[in-house]
């Protein structure tokens, strides 16, 4: 399953748990979800904006996404933490990406992603933002 699909599954599960009242979203979780969504919005913009950036900037933004998620994960427990952990796991391939040529040296196992892989990861972040916005809106 690709990153988009993995994030979609997470979002659907969160929505179902909230709907079934398995997950009662606490006010602190709503606030953190809202804050995380806003930070992700600042990092990964609309497709036309992201696609116009050099690949090194796109990778920088995706790595910053992982940092935002990790910091949010460190600040919570329970179902929101599990959701954020799943999101980090879904976006994990970004950790092995590089934007610079190897110039004949070793790359520590990193790979050059394709334009489609960048787009897929950015779409996954946008879907994640939408799920966090929904979580933050739950009463």
């Amino acid at each position: 399953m690709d990153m988009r699909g993995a994030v979609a599954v997470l979002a659907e599960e969160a929505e179902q748990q909230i709907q079934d009242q398995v997950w009662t979203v606490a006010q602190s979780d709503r606030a953190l979800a809202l804050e995380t969504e806003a930070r992700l919005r600042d990092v990964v913009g609309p497709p036309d904006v992201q696609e116009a950036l050099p690949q090194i900037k796109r990778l920088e933004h995706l790595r910053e996404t992982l940092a935002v998620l990790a910091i949010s994960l460190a600040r919570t427990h329970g179902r929101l933490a599990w959701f954020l952990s799943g999101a980090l796991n879904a976006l994990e391939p970004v950790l092995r990406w590089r934007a610079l040529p190897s110039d004949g040296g070793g790359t520590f196992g990193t790979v050059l992603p394709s334009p489609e892989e960048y787009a897929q990861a950015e779409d996954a972040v946008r879907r994640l933002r939408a799920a966090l916005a929904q979580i933050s809106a739950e009463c």
Side-chain angles (χ1 to χ4, degrees):
M1 180 178 316
D2 67 18
M3 287 181 259
R4 279 184 285 229
V7 169
V9 168
L10 282 171
E12 289 166 11
E13 183 177 353
E15 182 179 331
Q16 190 65 50
Q17 285 187 20
I18 292 168
Q19 182 179 343
D20 293 346
Q21 298 179 351
V22 172
W23 181 4
T24 302
V25 182
Q27 180 59 36
S28 60
D29 283 350
R30 282 195 295 274
L32 183 58
L34 184 62
E35 180 183 327
T36 304
E37 186 273 333
R39 288 185 175 174
L40 293 179
R41 191 176 346 107
D42 290 342
V43 177
V44 173
D48 59 331
V49 172
Q50 290 302 122
E51 290 170 8
L53 295 172
Q55 286 187 352
I56 197 163
K57 277 302 210 185
R58 290 176 81 178
L59 182 54
E60 180 182 308
H61 290 193
L62 289 167
R63 288 177 178 162
E64 191 171 340
T65 293
L66 294 171
V68 166
L69 292 172
I71 290 168
S72 294
L73 174 60
R75 296 174 49 201
T76 192
H77 301 282
R79 293 190 189 278
L80 182 58
W82 305 339
F83 176 80
L84 294 171
S85 177
L88 279 161
N89 189 54
L91 295 169
E92 181 272 336
V94 170
L95 294 173
R96 293 187 305 274
W97 292 359
R98 62 185 166 85
L100 301 174
S102 67
D103 293 333
T107 64
F108 303 97
T110 60
V111 297
L112 291 168
S114 69
E116 172 55 34
E117 288 171 309
Y118 278 110
Q120 179 192 121
E122 291 159 352
D123 286 347
V125 173
R126 289 183 201 96
R127 179 62 177 104
L128 182 58
R129 280 192 345 232
L132 287 164
Q134 186 173 4
I135 291 167
S136 69
E138 290 304 317
C139 299

